[in-house]
Amino acid sequence: MPAFVGAIKVNAVSSSAVFHIGDTYYIQPISTAKTYAGGGSFNTGDGIRVQLDYSDTIVFDQDQIDY
């Protein structure tokens, strides 16, 4: 069934967002990111104690192409 839409004002749409008006069958937003971080990097909170005797972050990308 057709959609009847009035006036629309779009201030901003982020890179991984979907802006849709009207009828649709399928919407698939796609966003990718690659983050390298060592052990204990994303800990949050009060009183966290991290003991790392040895930490190694491997950043070798075998295919060298990311989609």
Side-chain angles (χ1 to χ4, degrees):
M1 179 170 203
F4 295 99
V5 180
I8 295 175
K9 179 182 177 184
V10 178
N11 291 327
V13 177
S14 68
S15 62
S16 62
V18 173
F19 178 74
H20 169 73
I21 297 175
D23 300 334
T24 185
Y25 173 73
Y26 188 71
I27 295 178
Q28 182 181 4
I30 297 174
S31 176
T32 59
K34 183 182 284 189
T35 303
Y36 297 112
S41 296
F42 297 113
N43 293 323
T44 58
D46 296 329
I48 293 176
R49 299 177 71 200
V50 178
Q51 179 181 349
L52 297 172
D53 294 331
Y54 178 76
S55 177
D56 190 14
T57 302
I58 301 171
V59 296
F60 176 71
D61 190 3
Q62 188 172 5
D63 62 3
Q64 307 216 349
I65 299 172
D66 295 325
Y67 297 101

